[in-house]
Amino acid sequence: PILEIIRIDRGGLSLETKAVGRIQFGIPPETIKDSMRLGIEVPRVYIVPVERFCREMGPALGINVAEFEFPAYFNYFVRTKRCTLVVESE
């Protein structure tokens, strides 16, 4: 089956799975607000890209796409659930 991929406003991709629910690739700042604004569930599973900084603005500037702090707080304190963070093995 083909999965619907939703682009998050500030970066990242979100998709719904039958196995674990919503998964998000990349965790840019304000990602919870973006999910809520789009009307999609805030994920419990996040995949951190191998390149953790998006440097489209230049080599000395970048956006951290591994901002896991607020998704973890939201899931733990608001939803009383744990998150899964998928990272590179090395």
Side-chain angles (χ1 to χ4, degrees), residues 3 10 21 29 36 41 46 65 70 79:
L3 298 173
R10 293 177 180 89
M36 291 177 159
E41 179 184 8
Y46 294 88
V65 291
F70 287 107
R79 298 169 80 193

Side-chain angles (χ1 to χ4, degrees), residues 15-36:
L15 58 107
E16 183 71 28
T17 69
K18 289 182 181 179
V20 295
R22 188 154 294 281
I23 295 174
Q24 184 170 314
F25 178 81
I27 317 166
E30 308 291 333
T31 195
I32 293 172
K33 291 179 186 176
D34 290 340
S35 293
M36 291 177 159

Side-chain angles (χ1 to χ4, degrees), residues 45-58:
V45 178
Y46 294 88
I47 301 171
V48 176
V50 174
E51 284 291 324
R52 291 180 181 90
F53 289 91
C54 176
R55 300 196 187 275
E56 291 178 6
M57 296 179 284

